[in-house]
Structure formats: structure tokens, C-alpha cells
Amino acid sequence: MITTIIFDFGDIFINLEKDAQIEAFQKLGLSSPNEELIKKNDLFEKGQISSQDFLESFQKYLPNASLKEIKDAWNKIIGDFPLRRLEFLQLLSYKYKLFLLTNTDEIHIKRFEHNVGISFFSDFYQCFEKVYYSYEMGMRKPEQAIYSFILTKHNLNPRKTLFVDDKKTNTDAAEKLGMQVWNLQVGQEDVVDLFNQKHLLF
């Protein structure tokens, strides 16, 4: 029987507009992410470089773009957060121990909080025992250490813990530690349909 649920954030609760972000960067002159920028993103999501350093790394490829233009393009990925998902989460919080675990950075979190407002994001955060952002932890999924840290710190039984994420590499890593997993298929499934997942042990 599941007693604890660990949720991802992007495309689980908040919708990600990946095409809008790609289009915004293309307008600035960057056709697609490259290996260097992907590595910089990994470092940024681990909190190992500053927002300034991260944004400036784009200027090597976008010499005519301002840091504000780059930041605005970076934030185009932050979409809407349907109210039904918050209401569902609030109901879950009465019955289960809930955690949030997401690979993200401080720029995106500030944008999310700005977009939804203090009342909404306060209600959201209050649903969780603890909110874990990769950039604050110095780790990111699918590194097994990030899952082990939460399991150990909160004395969680993996067999009674469900991990929900839209990336299979992340759910595979959690499954190796004995957790129940739901690899949510974006566009086909919604987190509010959690109890329709008959294979999960509720």
C-alpha cells in the first residue's frame, strides 16, 4: 500500500511550452541547443553556476542578444498550471505524505512564482512535506543519490513510495531503488487520473 508520493513538477503540474522556448531562441539566432549549453544547463540545475554565468554562456552563440532577451527566451518554457491539478493535490495531501522533486533552476522557479502569484504557489507548496529543487540540492535526476537522499532523510519505505515523472530515465532510476513508479505520458495522461493507474498499489 502506497503511503508516500514523490512528484516531478514540469509537465506533471505545470505545463511546459518547449516549442515556444525553441522558437524564442531561434528568433534570437540559436537554431538548437548544443553540447556546451546542455552541459551548462546541467551545472545550472545543480546550482554549480550562477544565473548570470548561465545566461552569459548563451552570448557566445548569440552575441547580439541582451541578457534580458536570453532570460525571456529561457522562460518561454514556463506554461500554465491548471487549477484542477492543484485541487487534486490538495485532496491527496490529506491522505498521503507528499514530496516534490524536480530538476530545475532558480530562473524558472522565480518565473513560475511570478506567473501564478503568492497565494497560488503558497497553496501549492503547503501540500508537500518538503519541496526539493535540484539547484538547491546539488544533484539532479536520474542520479540515484538524489532519490536515496530523500528516502533516507524522511525514513521512507521504497515499496510504499510512488514516484511520478514524465521522463522514463527518471522513473527507471527510482524503480531500481524499489519504488513504485508512474511514467506519465504527457499529452495522453494527466496527474489527476492517478487512481486510474490500476497497476499501482493504492
Side-chain angles (χ1 to χ4, degrees):
M1 178 180 173
I2 289 169
T3 58
T4 303
I5 309 175
I6 304 173
F7 289 104
D8 179 33
F9 185 32
D11 273 337
I12 301 298
F13 294 111
I14 192 169
N15 291 320
L16 298 183
E17 303 295 340
K18 296 171 186 175
D19 289 343
Q21 185 190 61
I22 292 170
E23 184 179 340
F25 275 113
Q26 286 175 340
K27 286 180 179 177
L28 294 178
L30 185 66
S31 59
S32 62
N34 58 51
E35 188 173 334
E36 181 181 349
L37 292 175
I38 290 170
K39 287 180 179 177
K40 288 285 187 180
N41 179 53
D42 287 353
L43 293 174
F44 192 34
E45 286 190 344
K46 289 183 179 182
Q48 294 177 357
I49 59 173
S50 68
S51 298
Q52 183 84 4
D53 289 340
F54 177 68
L55 295 174
E56 286 177 352
S57 66
F58 283 85
Q59 289 189 312
K60 177 179 177 181
Y61 306 98
L62 299 171
N64 298 319
S66 69
L67 290 181
K68 183 182 183 305
E69 288 173 325
I70 293 168
K71 184 177 179 180
D72 288 344
W74 183 246
N75 276 331
K76 284 290 185 182
I77 198 170
I78 304 298
D80 66 314
F81 189 138
L83 180 60
R84 70 179 184 278
R85 293 178 185 163
L86 175 60
E87 292 172 339
F88 176 70
L89 189 66
Q90 288 171 322
L91 291 174
L92 277 184
S93 68
Y94 291 110
K95 187 175 180 183
Y96 299 94
K97 187 180 290 188
L98 305 180
F99 295 89
L100 191 73
L101 174 62
T102 179
N103 290 346
T104 191
D105 60 74
E106 59 181 341
I107 293 177
H108 281 161
I109 293 305
K110 286 178 180 176
R111 173 56 61 180
F112 153 67
E113 292 179 350
H114 172 79
N115 285 358
V116 300
I118 189 168
S119 177
F120 190 100
F121 74 69
S122 294
D123 286 348
F124 176 59
Y125 292 151
Q126 285 171 11
C127 293
F128 300 101
E129 298 271 328
K130 177 74 175 173
V131 171
Y132 284 107
Y133 291 141
S134 61
Y135 74 91
E136 294 177 335
M137 299 179 74
M139 300 179 277
R140 66 195 296 278
K141 299 174 289 184
E143 296 168 12
Q144 289 208 338
I146 201 168
Y147 307 99
S148 297
F149 175 84
I150 296 174
L151 292 172
T152 301
K153 183 174 178 61
H154 299 280
N155 196 28
L156 303 178
N157 183 338
R159 293 189 302 277
K160 295 183 178 180
T161 301
L162 171 67
F163 177 64
V164 181
D165 198 295
D166 63 303
K167 291 184 173 61
K168 191 172 186 301
T169 52
N170 294 342
T171 54
D172 284 351
E175 196 168 29
K176 286 178 182 176
L177 290 174
M179 285 188 266
Q180 304 291 323
V181 299
W182 177 22
N183 175 214
L184 185 148
Q185 303 301 301
V186 179
Q188 301 173 38
E189 300 172 319
D190 195 292
V191 70
V192 300
D193 301 320
L194 177 64
F195 295 108
N196 293 338
Q197 304 301 307
K198 304 300 184 186
H199 63 289
L200 301 177
L201 304 177
F202 285 100

